[in-house]
Amino acid sequence: DGGDPSKIKFNEMPFPDMEAQLERGNTDAVWLPEPFLSRALANKDYKLVGYPNQKALPGLPTMVTFTSGSSADQNPEVVADFKAAVTEALSQAEENPDDVRAILPKFMGMDEAVAKNLKMESFNGEVPTAVLEDLGALMLKYEVVGQQPDVAAMTVK
């Protein structure tokens, strides 16, 4: 959108810490997924600049879970059980968005009104390989990586 990518300096930090870093002036901007985004936007001093991930790659998930290849090879039952548990939890969240909203005030210290009006993301246990391949292509284009990532090799079926 007209910005100069060479002038951006990225700092990795946990989502729960980003608001405090913004407030202290340690960073000029942060990228937050929900529910952190809605909590931050409840502060009238903050302004939403945009949704860069969703604009660049519609359907890009906020969270993908990884393990090492050796751990996956050595513990296929643990990996399968973990995947099944996460898929079940996400399915429950997708089917019960009001229950998700109800736990946010206590879990995140979020105002109840903010939680009630939260824009919920889709909860899905499927890995969107096509979108992740597109992400890999962007990573290659912008020289974040030296070769196209092999998404299929990284995905547990």
Side-chain angles (χ1 to χ4, degrees), residues 9 17 27 71 93 105:
K9 179 181 175 191
D17 296 346
T27 187
S71 181

Side-chain angles (χ1 to χ4, degrees), residues 31-105:
W31 177 88
L32 293 165
E34 291 294 359
F36 303 97
L37 176 61
S38 287
R39 184 178 70 185
L41 290 176
N43 182 334
K44 301 300 181 205
D45 293 333
Y46 299 151
K47 178 183 176 190
L48 178 66
V49 175
Y51 296 95
N53 288 13
Q54 292 80 4
K55 185 175 179 181
L57 294 168
L60 182 67
T62 299
M63 183 186 89
V64 178
T65 305
F66 291 88
T67 187
S68 68
S70 62
S71 181
D73 291 343
Q74 294 169 11
N75 304 289
E77 289 179 15
V78 172
V79 172
D81 289 348
F82 178 83
K83 182 177 179 180
V86 167
T87 299
E88 180 181 345
L90 292 173
S91 177
Q92 288 292 321
E94 185 70 21
E95 293 170 13
N96 301 287
D98 290 337
D99 291 346
V100 174
R101 285 183 177 92
I103 65 169
L104 291 174

